[in-house]
């Protein structure tokens, strides 16, 4: 499986781009066999664009405001991604809902990351929603995008505890640290051809670090 060609990625961002950075770092360290063909932001001031520039990755701003419909915006995204030969689209803090124009063009080839244990707390401000709800465990989810808000077959999740003296910011940072681990991992599983979508479920073939993680998070009760 290791001899599969590098994954041709397109990354969609809207903001800081720390997940983009985690993907770049994973590629540069040799953990992930991939090449980011293009970074696209819908916001010209997204700091993630600087990150792309610093690593000499081509980038493009396509402002959703310049389009009258979601479909027209997505048509432009699809053209840019196809123009660069992108195989898999990775949303990394991209703040627009994707229409069927994108989801049909890249069927089961759009990934996203969300800072909650889906299907709990979809949508904006997920960390605050989980914190305010008083959950004992929070986390993050990488999934294959389906129509709807933060919905689709789940690829990888990571769990973090909510600690007694947490505030929303501390919890957000603890979740983010896990995002930066599981997004490159999920992309690596894809690149290695180890993901098989079966309806709502994603089977991961081969030995999985997820099992180890689960054993650590959920030790046997006394
Ligand atoms: C991340 O926490 C990501 O999970 C979240 O936006 C942040 C982007 O940070 N995405 C969503 O909430 C999607 N519903 P980044 O720009 O530093 O990667």
């Amino acid at each position: 499986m290791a001899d599969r060609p590098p994954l041709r990625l397109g990354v969609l961002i809207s903001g800081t781009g720390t997940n983009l950075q985690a993907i770049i770092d994973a590629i540069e360290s040799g953990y992930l066999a991939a090449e980011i063909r293009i970074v696209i932001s819908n916001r010209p001031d997204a700091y993630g664009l600087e990150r792309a520039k610093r690593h000499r990755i081509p980038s493009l701003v396509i402002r959703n405001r310049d389009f009258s419909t979601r479909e027209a915006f997505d048509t432009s995204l699809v053209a840019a991604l196809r123009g660069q030969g992108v195989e898999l689209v990775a949303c990394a803090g991209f703040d627009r809902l994707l229409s069927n124009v994108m989801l049909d063009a890249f069927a089961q080839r759009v990934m996203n990351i969300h800072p909650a244990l889906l299907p709990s707390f979809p949508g904006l401000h997920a960390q605050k929603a989980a914190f305010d709800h008083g959950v004992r465990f929070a986390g993050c989810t990488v999934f294959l995008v389906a129509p709807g808000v933060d919905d689709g077959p789940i690829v990888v999740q990571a769990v973090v505890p909510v600690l007694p003296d947490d505030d929303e910011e501390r919890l957000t940072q603890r979740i983010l640290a896990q995002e930066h681990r599981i997004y490159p991992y999920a992309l690596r599983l894809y690149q290695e051809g180890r993901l098989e979508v079966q309806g709502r479920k994603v089977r991961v073939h081969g030995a999985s670090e997820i099992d180890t993680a689960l054993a650590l998070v959920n030790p046997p009760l006394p």
Side-chain angles (χ1 to χ4, degrees), residues 15-20 92-94 112-115 123 127 150 176 179-180:
T16 321
T18 64
N19 277 290
L20 166 66
F94 186 62
N112 195 5
I113 186 152
H114 182 70
Q127 304 97 324
D150 295 320
L176 195 59
E179 293 186 40
H180 298 160

Side-chain angles (χ1 to χ4, degrees), residues 16-192:
T16 321
T18 64
N19 277 290
L20 166 66
Q21 188 69 53
I23 296 167
I24 294 171
D25 293 347
I27 293 170
E28 291 186 350
S29 74
Y31 175 79
L32 173 64
E35 181 193 347
I36 301 178
R37 289 292 180 98
I38 190 149
V39 170
I40 304 177
S41 173
N42 61 324
R43 297 178 187 276
D45 58 350
Y47 183 70
L49 290 167
E50 288 299 317
R51 298 179 190 274
K53 198 182 295 174
R54 216 180 294 149
H55 291 268
R56 297 194 166 75
I57 297 167
S59 65
L60 194 61
V61 174
I62 304 180
R63 299 199 305 183
N64 55 286
R65 283 184 7 208
D66 294 342
F67 298 85
S68 54
T69 64
R70 209 178 280 285
E71 286 73 18
F73 173 58
D74 282 8
T75 300
S76 173
L77 290 177
V78 167
L81 293 162
R82 281 194 171 144
Q84 298 300 321
V86 165
E87 269 177 273
L88 184 80
V89 182
C91 301
F94 186 62
D95 64 8
R96 305 301 299 168
L97 212 60
L98 295 171
S99 72
N100 280 333
V101 169
M102 172 68 84
L103 300 181
D104 291 345
F106 288 92
Q108 293 188 339
R109 291 187 294 131
V110 183
M111 266 193 200
N112 195 5
I113 186 152
H114 182 70
L117 293 172
L118 292 173
S120 291
F121 310 113
L124 293 174
H125 312 301
Q127 304 97 324
K128 178 174 173 17
F131 183 75
D132 289 349
H133 195 90
V135 298
R136 298 292 188 201
F137 291 96
C140 46
T141 305
V142 177
F143 61 102
L144 291 167
V145 178
V149 178
D150 295 320
D151 193 22
I154 290 171
V155 181
V156 185
Q157 291 187 304
V159 177
V160 304
V162 180
L163 302 178
D165 59 350
D166 264 353
D167 56 21
E168 186 196 326
E169 181 53 28
R170 265 198 293 267
L171 179 61
T172 296
Q173 290 307 319
R174 191 175 307 119
I175 294 170
L176 195 59
Q178 293 304 313
E179 293 186 40
H180 298 160
R181 290 181 61 238
I182 67 170
Y183 213 174
Y185 177 59
L187 292 168
R188 179 171 155 156
L189 291 175
Y190 185 96
Q191 188 274 332
E192 291 176 348

